[in-house]
Amino acid sequence: KQWYQRRVAITAGGTYLSDKISVCLDCNADHYSEGGYSNSCNPCPPGAMVPSGVGFNESNCTYWAPCPGGYYQDEAGRCEVCSAGHYSQGDDALFCHPCPCDSYAEPGARHCTVCPDGTAVRAGKGTAATDCTDIIMDDGGSGAVGFYSKVSVIQAILVSAYCLL
């Protein structure tokens, strides 16, 4: 008789010992293993998920799924829509970002839209294109009034230099 010696290895949680190659491998996504002398992984309950290699026991299987763009995850892992003036790329975002100055977003936006030229809106306050308005600024009562428009730094320097001539 020929005796074969089988190598026994203790596996870490989230892994199993492959019978084919005698190496510890990560459990596939939506599977878990408590480790020890495991040579297979258990499937999560129907509808529950866990990333590959991180399921140490059934309680790691959750009903989490990545959120689509324009949504964020609340404390319970549910996807909630971003409010107007905010955006999110989705996935595992825990909050929505306010739109920067001079841009707007409707509820559920993946990104903000830049206001039309010559108009502006404050950060996080733009909820639609109609919020982008011409802004009149004054100096606090001196009577000086100016029109606000988006200009590049280079344009502002050139205008300032021209005024000095």
Side-chain angles (χ1 to χ4, degrees), residues 3-92:
W3 293 93
Y4 291 96
Q5 183 178 16
R6 181 178 166 141
R7 208 161 134 196
V8 177
I10 297 175
T11 62
T15 66
Y16 70 99
L17 181 63
S18 168
D19 287 333
K20 294 178 183 174
I21 56 175
S22 296
V23 173
C24 294
L25 299 173
D26 286 346
C27 291
N28 290 332
D30 307 331
H31 288 74
Y32 68 93
S33 167
E34 295 181 7
Y37 298 103
S38 179
N39 62 356
S40 65
C41 298
N42 302 307
C44 290
M49 296 177 256
V50 67
S52 176
V54 299
F56 304 120
N57 56 47
E58 188 173 340
S59 67
N60 295 131
C61 297
T62 64
Y63 295 92
W64 175 86
C67 294
Y71 288 76
Y72 70 98
Q73 287 186 6
D74 67 9
E75 297 82 26
R78 294 179 302 242
C79 295
E80 299 288 338
V81 68
C82 292
S83 61
H86 296 76
Y87 73 99
S88 166
Q89 294 300 316
D91 291 325
D92 59 353

